[in-house]
Amino acid sequence: MKRLFSILAIAGIMAFGTVSANNYAATASMATTTVATVTQDETTANAAGQDLGFHQELKKRFIEGGAGFMGVVLLCLILGLAIAIERIIFLNLSTTNTKKLVQNVEDALQSGGIEAAKEVCRNTKGPVASIYYQGLDRADEDLDAAEKAVVAYGGVQMGQLEKNVSWISLFIALAPMLGFMGTVIGMIQAFDKIEAAGDMQPSLVAGGIKVALLTTVFGLIVAIILQVFYNYIIAKIDSIVNDMEDASITLMDLLVRYKK
């Protein structure tokens, strides 16, 4: 009986040991798999981390496109952006609260006359205030002289608003043209290599075609960027010109009422 209990005890211990061993083996296997998975994920992450960022990729493609045409395209972008930023700053500074200016000029006419209204215009920035000053400066002569002064000086102010904007449109047209020229030259170089080798191999033409496509892409990117700035500038100029025209009509109405 004791022998039976001893056998059962030994069998139980062995069974328990086998189960523990199996559990340990399974745990170790899972741990190994987990470590392998983590290692694989880290390797993948490191490989992904080795991918170039946007700026590095852009720089790489720019260098591959060749310093000749790509440099000229980049110069178009730099000059175009410089002019666009200068125009945007100038136009924002030229924006005037026309309603407030009209009210101040009207109040000054009623309280202090022409000189007080001119002082208000001198203390206000923007083309609308300048036009008002020129009209008020001729108001002592007659209304026709004031109107002619307003129209003439309005044309001068419009020219100031549109200054150098034509250069932006030039760069918008020039950048893709340079890109297309680089494309044509790259294709010519590719065919020259084919002619020299006497065989049509992809490795011979891949470089030339790649350069051709890169110059085209960068030229189009420059044109798109400058086009956005150009459209904003044109819209801003149109808004200021409309304010100038409305304000000029309002000024003549104020002078008519003041003369009465």
Side-chain angles (χ1 to χ4, degrees), residues 93-253:
L93 293 176
S94 300
T95 303
T96 307
N97 190 342
T98 307
K99 293 182 179 179
K100 183 179 180 180
L101 176 62
V102 171
Q103 186 63 45
N104 291 337
V105 169
E106 185 176 4
D107 295 340
L109 282 174
Q110 294 176 357
S111 61
I114 297 294
E115 291 300 324
K118 289 168 64 176
E119 185 64 25
V120 171
C121 295
R122 275 194 294 265
N123 295 328
T124 305
K125 297 181 180 180
V128 177
S130 299
I131 291 173
Y132 267 39
Y133 182 86
Q134 296 298 322
L136 292 169
D137 195 38
R138 303 294 191 279
D140 292 335
E141 301 175 12
D142 55 35
L143 293 178
D144 290 337
E147 184 177 1
K148 290 180 181 178
V150 167
V151 173
Y153 203 70
V156 173
Q157 290 297 318
M158 187 180 300
Q160 292 292 328
L161 295 175
E162 295 177 348
K163 183 180 179 181
N164 294 329
V165 175
S166 60
W167 286 102
I168 302 177
S169 61
L170 172 64
F171 293 136
I172 291 173
L174 192 60
M177 288 182 183
L178 291 171
F180 293 145
M181 184 179 295
T183 299
V184 174
I185 292 176
M187 297 300 292
I188 292 174
Q189 292 175 351
F191 283 109
D192 286 340
K193 292 180 180 179
I194 295 174
E195 183 180 6
D199 187 15
M200 183 65 179
Q201 297 180 2
S203 59
L204 293 175
V205 299
I209 295 176
K210 184 178 182 181
V211 171
L213 296 177
L214 286 174
T215 54
T216 302
V217 168
F218 274 87
L220 293 175
I221 289 174
V222 170
I224 291 171
I225 294 173
L226 295 180
Q227 187 68 51
V228 173
F229 283 94
Y230 179 80
N231 286 354
Y232 174 79
I233 291 172
I234 293 299
K236 192 71 175 178
I237 291 174
D238 291 341
S239 176
I240 295 176
V241 169
N242 289 333
D243 288 341
M244 290 165 54
E245 293 175 351
D246 293 339
S248 300
I249 296 173
T250 305
L251 175 63
M252 300 311 300
D253 293 338

Side-chain angles (χ1 to χ4, degrees), residues 41-62:
D41 292 339
E42 290 179 352
T43 304
T44 305
N46 291 332
Q50 291 176 356
D51 292 340
L52 295 178
F54 176 75
H55 294 88
Q56 288 80 3
E57 185 69 22
L58 190 64
K59 180 180 179 181
K60 176 186 174 183
R61 297 300 180 183
F62 180 85

